[in-house]
Amino acid sequence: MSTARILSYNVHACVGTDKKLSPERIARVIQGCNPDIVALQEIDVGRARSGRIDQAQVLAELLGMEAHFHPSTRIGPDEHYGDAILTRLPYSMKRMGMLPGFHDRIKVEPRGALWASVHVGGVDVQVVNTHLGVWPHEQMLQLSALLGPEWLGHPECREPVVFLGDFNAPPGLSPYRRLAAEFVDVQKVWGERKAKPTFPGRLPTLRIDHVWLRGRAAVQNVEVVRTPLARVASDHLPLVVDLDFSAHRLASAPEVITGAA
């Protein structure tokens, strides 16, 4: 089978809207979705505030997956904060790195990205996870880097490509429009009425977490997880998509085939 369930989730350092720190609760939310590939943002590794544990590794062990973590923020030699890709499928890491931004001029978080090539039923799917800044001008700078020759424009970043994460950019703003010119918004193509907000977790109003697709694939399902547990586990809700990449093998297949009625 060339089908994968892919989940994007800003876990807020595993601190819920009730202020409780609980990687185990985050793991239960993810496990309930049964994903094959997980893109996480706002992960703590060695941070004093979260008990100095490696949250990426703890979550991977609880989920029976392997984890790769990239620190976008370093506080001294031991405290890190950033993003991670987890999977139970065969994969290879292609790149992890920092993105340009305003952190050297004003007090904003540095940002980064990870790129993994994941083997899904005979198809190598390029998965790029990121967490963009909060200012549109900074987001555009970061997108220019991500769409350039070191990341999504790299010769080895061949279709199909899944570009996902917390973009801090709702539909209508220039960063979203920039991405929509090159990628398919999986939530939107599944059906406009089904596009759901992901933030804030308890009463979501903003659609800022996205899964973007480039290449041939069948979109079989899209869901924003709104269970009682998910509403309290983080300040974002998880976004889950089911993609069938078998169409990638057919040269005559359309760019995107949706499973929506």
Side-chain angles (χ1 to χ4, degrees):
M1 291 289 291
S2 299
T3 301
R5 172 162 284 191
I6 304 171
L7 180 147
S8 180
Y9 195 8
N10 181 325
V11 299
H12 197 232
C14 298
V15 176
T17 55
D18 59 358
K19 309 302 181 185
K20 180 181 177 181
L21 170 68
S22 178
E24 293 78 13
R25 185 167 58 183
I26 291 290
R28 291 201 303 274
V29 172
I30 297 171
Q31 187 62 58
C33 302
N34 194 29
D36 302 295
I37 303 167
V38 178
L40 300 177
Q41 304 87 42
E42 297 194 10
I43 288 284
D44 274 1
V45 171
R47 299 291 302 273
R49 69 181 185 182
S50 51
R52 300 197 181 278
I53 66 169
D54 183 334
Q55 290 187 343
Q57 189 59 38
V58 167
L59 290 171
E61 290 174 359
L62 290 170
L63 295 166
M65 294 181 167
E66 289 189 33
H68 260 79
F69 168 77
H70 175 258
S72 55
T73 298
R74 298 175 185 268
I75 303 169
D78 302 319
E79 296 195 42
H80 301 152
Y81 172 77
D83 313 304
I85 291 177
L86 283 62
T87 187
R88 60 172 58 96
L89 299 175
Y91 73 98
S92 62
M93 292 304 301
K94 307 297 287 187
R95 181 175 173 81
M96 297 186 287
M98 300 299 297
L99 299 176
F102 298 163
H103 56 274
D104 56 345
R105 285 172 271 173
I106 59 176
K107 192 175 181 179
V108 294
E109 289 181 15
R111 305 290 176 165
L114 303 89
W115 165 20
S117 180
V118 184
H119 197 67
V120 181
V123 178
D124 290 323
V125 180
Q126 310 308 313
V127 178
V128 179
N129 174 28
T130 194
H131 184 189
L132 299 186
V134 297
W135 303 101
H137 288 304
E138 186 181 39
Q139 292 167 6
M140 293 296 281
L141 183 66
Q142 290 160 353
L143 287 176
S144 292
L146 284 164
L147 296 171
E150 294 186 344
W151 292 93
L152 293 150
H154 193 282
E156 293 184 15
C157 198
R158 294 183 291 270
E159 298 177 357
V161 175
V162 177
F163 183 28
L164 75 172
D166 178 357
F167 291 82
N168 277 312
L173 295 186
S174 54
Y176 178 93
R177 296 197 306 270
R178 175 71 178 87
L179 286 168
E182 293 193 30
F183 295 82
V184 168
D185 177 348
V186 172
Q187 267 222 76
K188 187 174 181 180
V189 76
W190 177 246
E192 188 69 38
R193 64 185 177 84
K194 295 185 178 71
K196 305 284 188 184
T198 56
F199 178 84
R202 283 194 182 273
L203 294 170
T205 57
L206 296 175
R207 192 160 75 87
I208 59 177
D209 301 276
H210 303 294
V211 176
W212 297 93
L213 173 66
R214 185 172 73 196
R216 299 178 181 91
V219 182
Q220 296 186 328
N221 187 54
V222 178
E223 181 183 359
V224 174
V225 180
R226 305 180 72 173
T227 62
L229 188 63
R231 286 177 179 272
V232 71
S234 172
D235 64 344
H236 286 241
L237 297 174
L239 174 60
V240 182
V241 304
D242 292 303
L243 299 176
D244 180 356
F245 298 101
S246 58
H248 179 72
R249 298 195 183 97
L250 305 175
S252 60
E255 285 300 300
V256 174
I257 308 168
T258 72

